[in-house]
Amino acid sequence: MTSMSIAGKTVDAWEREIPQLKDILSLKEIFWINSAKLPFEEASKLVPYTKENINDAEARLNRFAAYLRIDFPETEVSKGIIESPLSSIPSMKEYLETVYHSSIPGTFLLKRDDTLPIAGTIKARGAIYEVLKHAEILALEHGLLKSWNEDYSLFATEAFKSFFSNYKIAVGTTGNLGISVGTVGAMLGFDVTVHMSVEAKQWKKDLLRFRGVTVIEHESDFTNAVKKGREQSDLDPMSYYVDDEHSIELFLGYTVAANRLQKQLEQENILVDENHPLFVYLPCGIGGSPGGISFGLKQIYGDNVHCFFAEPTHVPSMTMGLMTGKFDQVSVKDFGLDGLTVADGLAVPRTSKLVANIMKHFFSGSYTIDDFETNRLLSALIDKEKIYLEPAALAGVPGALRLCRSEEGKSYLEKHDLTDKMDQATHIAWATGGSMVPKDDMDQFYEVGLQSHAIATPR
Ligand SMILES: *Cc1c(COP(=O)(O)O)cnc(C)c1O
């Protein structure tokens, strides 16, 4: 293993270059500070996307609200906008402070994307956006829509659905991306195919088939399912492939969350400025959702928002991609990690080059969380707040404590002159999914979590 070359270097050479790599490879929980982060003004000059791209995506979602409230009546209460509440979780906060023996300074909030309408995970933000944009382009190209000013409830009519039935959408996924793409794609009338690896959860396959989607199971891991799906789709000119690894549309769909969050913080009279820092902790798989949301928040709050992403100890793909500077050229499996985790939404061994490249100067850092801790937090959140999250969605929850307790975290706060401002800080743990999980599966997660209380030692 050690003599094998990974992106041009041996493991030994990588370990000499990156001191924290040893801990990562021995599956320790780590806190990592991104030394490539730049002040916002400088970092922005190096990327081709701006606030304008975000506002454009937001306007598109606003146009489609008239459609969504018809075909997805659960969005009627929010007038066709797919958004989630920002909640305080005082009992969970108290629990965390007790088991970690330290306090969380400032305000601690949970962003409830587990309750997003239509698909119940953070994927609803990026994936539904991408499908809607594709539908809009087709409708404009073929004259079904004359302009953006028309009433988009037209998309709910038979004429539109019958038009879209001539077109295909395909996606390769561990599950949640497929649920978002499949649900909206099929409802619009598209012929949708979702490629999954055999080990993807059975209930996700069943749900998709129930919603009229073709599910193809591949005898291989996630990366290969994605590749196979892309190859098949590329052969067919009528087929559009939603590409988790390379899609700027997915990324831009996620960014809109930032504009919405800004309004929610204002409604709660929560200030974000130089003396009132905002910290967000986002679970990270391939990187699109934490990347997009962080990018959006940076456009609004600049250097006053600090974005950390969280990964399982067995699958720190974005952390390793950024640490090595090799992005998608390194897989955690090259380094001997097995890539296995209970947090299936995060089980992506190789990060997105597109996202890593955009975000390398914006992310503040990351940390890893082991499965025992994930399970334990899952059952604790049910006990304390009656909030049912899927494992991946817990990764952001210990972020504030990890920042304030770890040596790396403390030095980050000092370096940015934040140590004395933490009482005025706001921490947001992004809960990324949960409401779709069947009760039996959730009961099982809960049981495993209870057992983990005895085993896990909080760091
Ligand atoms: C996909 C997913 C994530 C991570 O999003 P990426 O864009 O893959 O980084 C986090 N939580 C859940 C529940 C997910 O499904």
Side-chain angles (χ1 to χ4, degrees):
M1 194 77 222
T2 40
S3 63
M4 205 183 87
S5 164
I6 304 164
K9 284 179 202 163
T10 63
V11 173
D12 285 348
W14 280 121
E15 281 185 354
R16 279 194 297 277
E17 194 175 309
I18 306 166
Q20 270 179 303
L21 195 56
K22 238 189 174 55
D23 285 344
I24 291 183
L25 298 187
S26 51
L27 300 173
K28 285 203 184 110
E29 290 186 331
I30 60 135
F31 197 96
W32 173 70
I33 299 302
N34 176 19
S35 58
K37 177 174 172 272
L38 292 174
F40 173 70
E41 290 298 331
E42 277 175 58
S44 326
K45 289 193 190 114
L46 303 173
V47 293
Y49 305 102
T50 65
K51 186 82 164 73
E52 231 172 283
N53 299 97
I54 302 174
N55 293 343
D56 171 66
E58 186 179 26
R60 181 162 293 105
L61 288 170
N62 290 342
R63 291 197 288 279
F64 271 102
Y67 159 69
L68 291 173
R69 59 198 293 186
I70 297 174
D71 265 356
F72 297 95
E74 73 229 73
T75 64
E76 183 55 39
V77 281
S78 56
K79 301 190 167 63
I81 298 297
I82 302 166
E83 198 37 75
S84 76
L86 183 62
S87 313
S88 80
I89 43 169
S91 305
M92 185 64 182
K93 179 171 187 270
E94 206 179 297
Y95 167 84
L96 288 168
E97 293 179 330
T98 307
V99 294
Y100 280 86
H101 305 292
S102 64
S103 68
I104 301 174
T107 306
F108 181 59
L109 302 168
L110 191 69
K111 181 63 175 159
R112 298 291 309 279
D113 276 9
D114 56 301
T115 66
L116 282 176
I118 302 177
T121 70
I122 196 165
K123 299 290 192 306
R125 297 182 181 278
I128 293 177
Y129 173 76
E130 177 156 4
V131 171
L132 294 175
K133 177 161 182 185
H134 177 59
E136 183 184 57
I137 289 172
L138 285 177
L140 286 166
E141 276 177 5
H142 292 83
L144 277 85
L145 272 185
K146 303 280 173 298
S147 80
W148 288 354
N149 297 323
E150 279 193 76
D151 179 353
Y152 277 35
S153 59
L154 279 170
F155 281 85
T157 59
E158 265 321 303
F160 273 59
K161 287 182 204 275
S162 124
F163 168 72
F164 288 128
S165 70
N166 300 311
Y167 293 87
K168 296 175 189 162
I169 293 178
V171 62
T173 170
T174 57
N176 288 341
L177 182 67
I179 290 176
S180 283
V181 170
T183 302
V184 171
M187 186 63 95
L188 280 163
F190 286 98
D191 178 357
V192 186
T193 301
V194 172
H195 297 265
M196 286 174 148
S197 57
V198 274
E199 72 254 32
K201 293 265 156 53
Q202 189 58 42
W203 67 264
K204 294 183 180 176
K205 298 172 191 168
D206 295 343
L207 177 79
L208 279 167
R209 288 179 174 134
F210 176 74
R211 290 183 174 179
V213 172
T214 305
V215 177
I216 298 181
E217 298 176 51
H218 294 273
E219 298 275 346
S220 57
D221 70 0
F222 164 74
T223 308
N224 206 45
V226 169
K227 192 165 153 266
K228 284 270 160 57
R230 186 189 296 126
E231 282 167 6
Q232 281 187 20
S233 179
D234 287 352
L235 290 174
D236 185 347
M238 297 300 272
S239 180
Y240 178 84
Y241 192 69
V242 176
D243 195 329
D244 206 8
E245 286 172 47
H246 307 106
S247 170
I248 190 62
E249 301 305 342
L250 266 179
F251 182 86
L252 291 174
Y254 288 123
T255 63
V256 176
N259 287 4
R260 311 258 186 83
L261 184 73
Q262 181 186 25
K263 290 202 191 87
Q264 289 181 322
L265 289 172
E266 282 167 8
Q267 272 161 18
E268 299 293 321
N269 292 316
I270 292 172
L271 212 57
V272 181
D273 63 20
E274 204 177 296
N275 292 312
H276 300 79
L278 173 63
F279 297 87
V280 290
Y281 310 95
L282 293 137
C284 181
I286 203 155
S289 72
I293 292 173
S294 297
F295 184 79
L297 290 170
K298 293 303 269 186
Q299 301 303 313
I300 296 170
Y301 300 115
D303 293 323
N304 300 324
V305 64
H306 307 268
C307 305
F308 293 90
F309 60 91
E311 301 187 294
T313 48
H314 287 238
V315 209
S317 48
M318 179 65 84
T319 303
M320 291 177 88
L322 291 177
M323 266 180 169
T324 58
K326 297 291 182 187
F327 307 156
D328 64 329
Q329 288 173 50
V330 294
S331 158
V332 301
K333 292 185 178 174
D334 297 341
F335 282 91
L337 298 181
D338 59 15
L340 299 175
T341 173
V342 64
D344 60 339
L346 311 183
V348 183
R350 202 183 281 281
T351 197
S352 158
K353 178 182 176 181
L354 172 87
V355 176
N357 201 32
I358 296 175
M359 294 306 296
K360 64 188 173 196
H361 301 310
F362 290 106
F363 277 137
S364 290
S366 70
Y367 58 92
T368 56
I369 175 168
D370 72 34
D371 277 6
F372 282 123
E373 182 68 352
T374 296
N375 292 330
R376 199 166 63 89
L377 292 170
L378 185 149
S379 67
L381 194 62
I382 293 172
D383 286 341
K384 301 299 166 190
E385 305 280 353
K386 299 214 164 14
I387 292 176
Y388 295 77
L389 299 186
E390 64 184 272
L394 274 304
V397 171
L401 283 160
R402 299 283 290 281
L403 171 70
C404 297
R405 285 163 47 97
S406 65
E407 288 312 312
E408 292 83 2
K410 282 185 216 164
S411 72
Y412 178 89
L413 296 179
E414 252 161 60
K415 181 178 165 203
H416 291 85
D417 201 17
L418 293 164
T419 312
D420 298 334
K421 301 172 183 168
M422 293 309 281
D423 286 336
Q424 296 114 256
T426 300
H427 305 273
I428 298 177
W430 214 284
T432 49
S435 62
M436 304 292 294
V437 178
K439 187 170 181 310
D440 283 354
D441 291 56
M442 190 56 83
D443 288 347
Q444 218 170 336
F445 287 144
Y446 178 74
E447 282 307 317
V448 173
L450 287 186
Q451 288 155 23
S452 303
H453 283 258
I455 306 165
T457 37
R459 252 178 265 278

